Amino acid sequence: MVQSPRTRVVVIGAGFGGIEAVRGLAGAAVDITIIDSRNHHLFQPLLYQVATASLTPSDIAWPIRFLFRGRPEVSVLMATATGIDTARRLVMLKGLDPVAYDMLIIATGARHSYFGHDDWEQFAPALKTLEDATTIRRRVLTAFEQAEAEHDPARQEMLLTFAIVGGGPTGVELAGAIAELARDTLKRDFRHIDTRETRIVLVEAGPRLLPAFVPEQSAFAKAALERLGVEVALGEAVTLCDANGIVRGDERIAAATVIWAAGVQASPAAEWLGVPADRAGRITVEPDLSVPGHPEIFAIGDTVSIAAPGGKPVPGIAPAAKQAGRHAAKAVRARLAGETPAPFRYHHDGSLATIGKRRAVIDFGWIRLSGALAWWIWGIAHVFFLIGVRHRLAVAMSWLWIYLRNQRASRLITQTEPGEAGEPPPG
């Protein structure tokens, strides 16, 4: 086989960072292979809205091949990376032949962490993928269905109790959305239960919600959630998750549905490369985002730890990953030109979190907003960053319908687990 004179660039991961890196290499003399275990790019900031029946999976996901259909130099491989042979410059794949690279961009992101209690995952699913979102949606909606048919008051109360572990943006957004689902959307749908009596408990081990925001905005978020009927429990960590709920300190909270939003762990990229990592498994990269000892490998996004101006770590948010992806593309171009890549400079575009359908908090550094205006800005920003007119219109129309009518159109239970209502008969 005749080898191409063009440089082979492999990108592992089609999240925000990986996609941005591929876009940044448009027109370069490279052949690009994108490797991802799924066939779609996901807009993770709105994943909680799929989990709470506000949006459908297709509203926030795009086939990777579709995104690069006009780029003949880009190939997409749906496969799971299992390791990297740096000596032979090969990406090892599960069940497939290795893929060779001249330059490599690792954008493998992060997975949820249960802080050494991986057995909790079966009782408390986290929210990182579309599969996670549809699992949570199924469990939330099934809890209401089972409560409608339940005659034991204690069991019914447990079914109508939802515990969310973690008071960051995901936990806050989930709590607000489930509260509005129960109190507004479902209140006329059932005959034997009053969904407005649903109990939602948001547990945060730290002293306040949204620790990335200023204390005043954390206090606003707490008050806004409490007005929606959410119980906010601060200052003690969860010590147990099981089929009956959670234990927080000395308190047992009986909940049929528990959702995990408390921690993340980097992908095993550091193990693949045999390089040091921090406690969360993130690679400490060089200033230009290259891996120490491997100038041909760049790592970006949640895979790495790098300091922002001021000394704090670059946050694991979508804008940071996109900035790193753009920088990685520029660094590859610099290497191709025989130049030294410039160091990565992170610019914080702001932090945003929504509390239900009418309140949000925004911190741009130079301006901070809380309340209804912040919610409108939050919504406009998220619609703007979606890909394609159809997706923007679909999401905007869904939000408008929810805002005006309190109706969420995606209340479908499409999968079942053993013991759930609707489980198909055996055989």
Side-chain angles (χ1 to χ4, degrees), residues 170 197 221 264 267 276 348 389 418 420 424:
T170 299
E197 296 179 356
V264 295
S267 73
H348 186 56
V389 174
E420 288 184 346

Side-chain angles (χ1 to χ4, degrees), residues 60-331:
I60 63 166
W62 302 263
I64 304 167
R65 297 182 186 278
F66 168 79
L67 296 179
F68 298 105
R69 64 196 184 283
R71 299 268 303 274
E73 81 281 14
V74 178
S75 299
V76 179
L77 189 59
M78 182 177 168
T80 300
T82 58
I84 298 169
D85 185 335
T86 56
R88 295 188 295 164
R89 296 195 178 185
L90 296 174
V91 177
M92 315 308 292
L93 303 177
K94 182 179 180 180
L96 296 174
D97 292 335
V99 174
Y101 66 86
D102 299 309
M103 306 193 79
L104 176 64
I105 298 174
I106 303 173
T108 44
R111 59 193 189 275
H112 37 263
S113 170
Y114 291 86
F115 306 114
H117 299 280
D118 291 346
D119 54 307
W120 292 356
E121 184 173 9
Q122 61 181 311
F123 309 114
L127 189 57
K128 283 292 181 185
T129 66
L130 283 178
E131 292 86 352
D132 295 334
T134 54
T135 293
I136 291 170
R137 183 182 67 183
R138 182 183 72 242
R139 292 191 181 188
V140 169
L141 295 176
T142 299
F144 289 107
E145 297 292 342
Q146 291 180 337
E148 173 80 349
E150 181 59 60
H151 299 292
D152 179 2
R155 174 64 181 168
Q156 189 178 78
E157 181 179 352
M158 180 178 172
L159 287 165
L160 292 177
T161 299
F162 299 84
I164 301 164
V165 184
T170 299
V172 167
E173 290 167 345
L174 279 167
I178 293 174
E180 290 184 335
L181 175 70
R183 286 162 174 75
D184 297 332
T185 304
L186 300 178
K187 64 182 180 182
R188 297 176 60 186
D189 287 9
F190 293 89
R191 301 294 175 262
H192 303 294
I193 59 172
D194 184 351
T195 60
R196 293 170 296 181
E197 296 179 356
T198 297
R199 183 187 181 198
I200 298 114
V201 184
L202 177 59
V203 178
E204 165 57 39
R208 60 187 179 96
L209 300 177
L210 301 176
F213 291 77
V214 296
E216 294 80 7
Q217 291 185 310
S218 296
F220 175 88
K222 180 176 182 291
L225 285 173
E226 289 173 341
R227 283 195 295 272
L228 291 173
V230 176
E231 299 176 30
V232 179
L234 303 173
E236 281 191 291
V238 168
T239 57
L240 178 66
C241 287
D242 60 24
N244 297 312
I246 63 173
V247 175
R248 170 185 174 267
D250 296 328
E251 179 187 12
R252 157 70 75 171
I253 299 174
T257 304
V258 180
I259 304 172
W260 190 264
V264 295
Q265 177 78 15
S267 73
E271 299 173 20
W272 297 345
L273 296 167
V275 297
D278 65 10
R279 291 197 305 174
R282 296 172 297 195
I283 303 167
T284 302
V285 291
E286 301 289 356
D288 63 357
L289 300 182
S290 64
V291 173
H294 298 282
E296 76 284 359
I297 302 176
F298 297 90
I300 60 176
D302 292 339
T303 308
V304 308
S305 174
I306 190 168
K312 292 185 177 180
V314 172
I317 56 178
K322 294 176 77 169
Q323 289 181 40
R326 288 193 289 270
H327 179 85
K330 292 177 182 177

